[in-house]
Structure formats: structure tokens, C-alpha cells
Amino acid sequence: MPSMRLFHFDIPTWGNFGDKALFPVVRDAFRVLGGTAEADGTPNFTFASSAALRREVDEAAVARINATADAVVIGGGGLFLQDTNPNRLSGWQWKISPEALAALDVPLIVYALGDNRFPGQPDFDELMRTHVGQVLDQSVFFGLRNTGSMTTMSALLGEQDRIIFQPCPTTILDHLYAPLAGSRPDPRQKTVAIQMLVHARQIAAGYDAETIHEATVRAARILVSTGWTVVSTPFHPDDAEVSHRLITEVPEVEEVRLYGHDVDFFSGLELFTSVPYVLGGRGHAQMIPFGVGAIPVSVDLHAKLRYFAADIGHPELVVPVEPEGLRGGEPGGAVDPAEAAGSDDPTRPADSAGSRTHAAHSAGSRAHTAAALAERMVAALEDAYASGPELQADLADSRARFAAITAENLAAIHDSLSPGPSQSHRSPLRTAEDIRAEAFHVAAIAESDEVAALQTRALKRADRDLDQARREHARALEEAQIRFQEKLRTVEGERDEALAEVEHQHGRIAAFDTRIAQLRAEVTQSSRALDAVRDRTAGEEARVLVTKLRHGIRWRIRRLKRRR
């Protein structure tokens, strides 16, 4: 019987080691646990091609899938999230319209997906509900990676019977790869790998990143001082900041970077075969080490970490962060850490609405709460170490159970795609040669993705710079307009004052003109009066002179008469 040809929608990535390792491991789970036909050893499943699920699935892609594949595999990963790859075609990370989805003639295999909502995020909207419901209707298998996601998605879709538990294949790595089989790390060694990041989404929900990161550094310092070997293993570029703090503030800590196109996906898996304990806050930073025998201690930063710890039968391996890791929280606060750690609600607020609005911790308070949380992290690791061999053996049983579930699910998928009685036998584990072939494929895609990502980031930076320049130009123009308006108002005010002064002066001038006219009239009248006065005075003077002349003549005549 020929192999079932599968088309895989995955996430080719270089920047997130968890996703880089996840998708080749999904394919290898089908190849190994999907089995072979008894007659000739032909594998039941082969992968014909793949595509990035975050890119829009267009008509050409649908036609190619219909022509070359017998079924479509979506996943795994925490694809049920609305603010990563946001789009209004589906409402979740797989970017395919309802029309393109309906045009797929081959059935769907939803494989090891998870509800990836962060604390405090809203419920999924109607678009996503109807789209995922359509995916469910077109699926021969709808498997979710933890029972917590099964609960929340069953409530969303109003469907329970068709949603199946399918553990993430990264949790069964030693059941897939020959080099990892029997390579379990020694639980008697005090070696721990640390990955830590409080995401912006968690900060928005009330988690205190500074306190949790400080607690991580303090825990590393305490562990080193008590004989532990501490390795920092950043899974993502965002983890680099905390990793830098670890190796800078605790010099004994060594960093092993796992992100980047130059990091082989399988070398990261092999790393954890020599690290018996891990402390982290990412899903795959816990599941991948667990898959090779490490004991995962998780910091309670996301519901999926609680879900995973519950599914492996050890909820005590989750370190609650409340109240120490929350803004406004105080040691001994109102939030019950045990109650918080046991919650199955992925949107559970990290703290009450009231305490989230409190002012940030003072430096002294933050140091105190960070110390308390650090002691809790160290205590969880010491407790795991105290029962290390027994705990590791119990977790190995959980991996065996997960592998059996995976094999049963793949057999059911094969039977759904190929009706009729069939027998299947497990394929041999993937060999070093098989791994190199898949690693080459992943590395080539990852390098291409990194170049594309860098170009996209450069374009985004250019767009941001352009937007910033535009904003600065608009702000400068607005400020110039404001200054112009202010100056214009000042000038207009001065103009109005000057016009008012001119009007006032015009009034004064008119008054002066009137007064001058009055004075001129008075002067004219006075001149006339003076002329009249002058005329009267001249006549009187003439009369006086005549009188004097007469008197003088008479006096002279009298004198002359006397002389005779």
C-alpha cells in the first residue's frame, strides 16, 4: 500500500528554538510512530511538502495541495492565539480564509495544538470560533497537546467527543531518535539549565518582570553557592537580556545560546541529555528537556505550563509567582499561591484588578519579594533533586504513555485516511543520517527565514524611522504653526493697540484742530479789536497833539506880545 502523502503547515523559524525543533519532530513522529506496512516496510506516512502557516493560503496553494497530498497536517504549537499573526481571515495563527479552507478537497489533521492565550487576554472572538469550528468539521483528527487546552477549546466549540489528547511530540524525543534513546541525564548531578523571560503580555497582566528576573539571578547565585552547575539556555532573542544578566552577575554561569540559524535543531536536543534539571518559563523550554529525560521545574508564567505539569502527573513542579512576582503584591498577600497554581483558566488574571493598579514596588520591597521568590525557585529544584532518580523514572513512564497515545492516534489517523483493515508496524528510530537530512532542510529554511526576518525588521525600522521623521516633522510644523499663531496674535494685538492709539491721536488732533480754529477765530477777533483800538488811539493822539500845538502857539503869541 502506498504511503499517505502529507502536506505540512508549519512555522519555519530561526529565532525560536522551540518552534525550530517542534516541526521536524512532528514529521519524525509520523515517520516513526506512524508505522510501516507489513508487506514491504513502506512507511504509512510521507511528507510531500510544507508551507508557512502564517502566510496567507491562496488559491494556487490550495490547488497544489489538492493535486499532491492525501491530507494536510496543521501544527503543532500554540496556534490558538489571536495577537500573533493577527488577521481577519481566520482569527488565529493559521492564515486561511473560510473560502480557501472549504476549497481544500483533502482532510485535515490538527496535530498537538494548544490554547496559547496569555494571562489576562480576552476570550476568543466569534470569527475564530466559527473558523476553528469549520476546521474541526473538515478534520479526520483534532488533537490538542494538553488536557487544559482540551477543556477550554471544548467550551469554545461546544464539542468534546471529537477533541483528542495528542501530546506534543517534543515530549517523546527518546522514543523517536536513536541517538537519544538511553541518553537520559544523571539526576544525581546538580546541573540545571535556566531559561527565563517575562513577556510584555504577562507584564500587561500584572506580572512584575523586574522582580521575577531579579529572583532568577538571585536563585542562580544561591544555586552556584551550594554546588550547582548553572547553564543559561536562551531559546529566543528576547531571552538574551535575562541570560546576559545571569552570566554577568553570576560569573560561574555559562551561556549556551539556542536561537539563531547557526544552531542545529538536533544539537539543542542533545544538550539536554546532559542536563538533569531545567528551570524555565517557556512551554518548549520545558517540554524538550522533558523529552530526553530532564526534570522540568516551571515558573508559573502561563497556563500551558500548569497544564503540562498536570499532564505529566507532577503539578508540584510549578513554582507559583504570586504574590512575590506581581506588581502591588506583598509577601503574605491576599492571593493564595496554591489556588493560583491549580487554576485551569488560561486567562486567569495574575493578580486582582485592584492590586494591579497599585504603585510599583519600592526598591527595598522589590528586593525583598525577589529574594522570597528566589528561595521558592531554589527550594523547588532542591526538592526535585532530593527525589531525582525516582522522579525521573516516573517521568519516563509518562513519556512512554505519551508515545503509546501518539502511536494509537497515528494508527487511527491512518485508518481514517485508508478505510479497510490494515496492519501497521513501528518504524525504526530516526538515525543520525535521517537527522542530518532533516537538519539540513530546517537549517536552509531557518537561514532563509532569518534573512527574510532581518529584511522585514530593516523595513520595519525604516518605516518606524520614516514614521518618526514624519511625526517629528508634523510636530515641528505644528509647533511652528503654534508659534506663528502666537506671533500673529501678538502682532495683531500690537496692531490693534497701535490702531487704537492712532484713533486716539486722531481724536486728539481733531480736538487740537478745533481748538486751533477757535484760537484763530479769537486771534482774528482780537486783531480786529486791536486794529480798532489802534485806530482810536491814533485819533486821540492827533487831537492831543493839535491841542498841544494850539496851546504852544498861543503861549508863543503871548510871549511875543509881552516883549513888545
Side-chain angles (χ1 to χ4, degrees):
M1 180 179 294
S3 301
M4 291 293 167
R5 300 167 301 168
L6 304 178
F7 188 96
H8 191 194
F9 279 102
D10 61 4
I11 302 175
T13 182
W14 65 275
N16 185 332
F17 178 73
D19 285 342
K20 177 192 280 189
L22 168 62
F23 296 102
V25 172
V26 167
R27 291 189 283 270
D28 285 337
F30 276 81
R31 291 164 179 148
V32 174
L33 299 181
T36 64
E38 183 178 12
D40 57 3
T42 301
N44 286 329
F45 299 102
T46 61
F47 282 86
S49 188
S50 66
L53 63 85
R54 289 176 179 166
R55 295 176 187 157
E56 183 176 351
V57 182
D58 57 18
E59 294 181 2
V62 170
R64 185 169 67 254
I65 292 169
N66 288 336
T68 61
D70 298 308
V72 168
V73 177
I74 302 113
L79 301 185
F80 295 136
L81 191 62
Q82 296 198 281
D83 60 350
T84 295
N85 199 37
N87 68 89
R88 301 311 294 167
L89 295 179
S90 67
W92 55 297
Q93 291 198 54
W94 190 25
K95 194 174 183 181
I96 181 172
S97 70
E99 296 75 18
L101 179 59
L104 284 171
D105 296 332
V106 297
L108 307 180
I109 301 169
V110 174
Y111 202 76
L113 302 195
D115 179 351
N116 212 30
R117 279 177 296 170
F118 283 73
Q121 289 193 313
D123 293 337
F124 295 132
D125 63 16
E126 182 63 17
L127 170 63
M128 177 176 167
R129 188 194 69 78
T130 57
H131 193 280
V132 176
Q134 183 180 350
V135 170
L136 177 63
D137 291 341
Q138 294 182 219
S139 299
V140 295
F141 181 79
F142 196 93
L144 302 187
R145 67 186 181 183
N146 50 58
T147 54
S149 292
M150 293 173 65
T151 299
T152 60
M153 297 306 292
S154 293
L156 176 72
L157 300 174
E159 173 66 61
Q160 185 172 359
D161 294 341
R162 294 186 59 200
I163 297 177
I164 307 300
F165 177 47
Q166 172 53 61
C168 180
T170 60
T171 63
I172 54 172
L173 295 168
D174 59 348
H175 289 262
L176 301 178
Y177 298 101
L180 301 180
S183 297
R184 190 181 303 175
D186 185 353
R188 295 168 298 180
Q189 292 183 352
K190 283 191 166 184
T191 301
V192 60
I194 296 179
Q195 170 280 321
M196 188 58 58
L197 171 72
V198 179
H199 195 276
R201 294 163 172 142
Q202 291 149 335
I203 294 172
Y207 286 84
D208 189 334
E210 186 172 342
T211 294
I212 296 172
H213 295 167
E214 172 65 21
T216 305
V217 174
R218 287 172 178 258
R221 189 177 294 116
I222 295 170
L223 290 167
V224 167
S225 70
T226 55
W228 285 76
T229 297
V230 179
V231 182
S232 177
T233 54
F235 269 55
H236 189 282
D238 291 347
D239 302 342
E241 181 178 351
V242 178
S243 182
H244 179 72
R245 283 194 61 184
L246 282 170
I247 62 176
T248 300
E249 299 181 34
V250 189
E252 296 86 353
V253 174
E254 177 188 359
E255 180 184 77
V256 179
R257 175 178 56 84
L258 294 178
Y259 62 86
H261 78 272
D262 57 329
V263 177
D264 178 77
F265 94 92
F266 197 77
S267 66
L269 308 185
E270 288 182 308
L271 167 70
F272 293 104
T273 62
S274 60
V275 179
Y277 302 92
V278 294
L279 174 69
R282 287 186 180 274
H284 281 109
Q286 303 303 92
M287 289 187 282
I288 289 172
F290 169 84
V292 295
I295 298 171
V297 176
S298 304
V299 179
D300 186 15
L301 299 177
H302 197 291
K304 63 187 175 185
L305 297 169
R306 298 192 300 277
Y307 295 163
F308 174 60
D311 287 341
I312 63 177
H314 290 277
E316 78 280 1
L317 293 177
V318 177
V319 179
V321 300
E322 293 146 313
E324 287 84 1
L326 297 167
R327 293 194 302 271
E330 294 294 341
V335 179
D336 180 2
E339 178 183 349
S343 171
D344 280 339
D345 180 6
T347 63
R348 171 184 56 81
D351 198 6
S352 65
S355 64
R356 287 201 305 269
T357 62
H358 290 173
H361 292 161
S362 65
S365 177
R366 177 169 279 118
H368 179 75
T369 55
L373 181 55
E375 291 174 1
R376 188 173 294 170
M377 294 175 179
V378 172
L381 285 167
E382 292 287 4
D383 288 346
Y385 176 76
S387 57
E390 298 83 3
L391 181 55
Q392 189 182 65
D394 187 68
L395 295 179
D397 290 341
S398 294
R399 283 198 306 282
R401 176 169 56 91
F402 287 177
I405 291 172
T406 300
E408 292 171 2
N409 288 341
L410 289 171
I413 292 170
H414 184 267
D415 290 345
S416 297
L417 297 175
S418 178
S422 65
Q423 291 185 343
S424 179
H425 298 266
R426 183 170 297 187
S427 301
L429 299 182
R430 301 292 280 174
T431 64
E433 184 178 354
D434 298 326
I435 293 166
R436 281 194 297 272
E438 184 68 42
F440 177 82
H441 169 70
V442 172
I445 293 178
E447 184 171 7
S448 175
D449 178 68
E450 180 176 12
V451 172
L454 292 175
Q455 290 175 341
T456 299
R457 290 182 180 180
L459 288 173
K460 287 182 178 179
R461 279 197 303 271
D463 288 341
R464 285 196 299 268
D465 292 344
L466 181 59
D467 288 340
Q468 182 178 358
R470 286 172 176 167
R471 287 194 298 270
E472 291 176 353
H473 175 72
R475 185 167 56 250
L477 180 60
E478 182 180 0
E479 291 173 354
Q481 289 175 335
I482 291 172
R483 289 194 300 271
F484 172 76
Q485 292 296 332
E486 290 176 350
K487 185 65 175 176
L488 181 61
R489 285 194 293 271
T490 300
V491 171
E492 287 177 342
E494 293 174 351
R495 180 202 63 190
D496 293 342
E497 290 177 2
L499 288 174
E501 180 64 22
V502 168
E503 291 296 328
H504 177 66
Q505 294 299 333
H506 280 318
R508 292 185 63 192
I509 290 171
F512 284 142
D513 287 343
T514 301
R515 181 58 179 162
I516 290 170
Q518 291 174 349
L519 291 173
R520 283 177 177 170
E522 291 176 3
V523 167
T524 300
Q525 185 178 1
S526 298
S527 296
R528 289 174 181 169
L530 182 58
D531 289 343
V533 169
R534 286 175 178 169
D535 289 345
R536 286 195 303 272
T537 301
E540 289 177 357
E541 288 180 352
R543 283 193 299 272
V544 170
L545 181 58
V546 170
T547 301
K548 286 182 178 181
L549 286 173
R550 286 175 180 170
H551 178 74
I553 290 172
R554 287 176 181 166
W555 183 74
R556 280 178 167 287
I557 291 172
R558 279 196 300 268
R559 285 182 66 187
L560 288 176
K561 285 180 177 181
R562 286 177 184 158
R563 287 178 182 174
R564 291 176 179 174

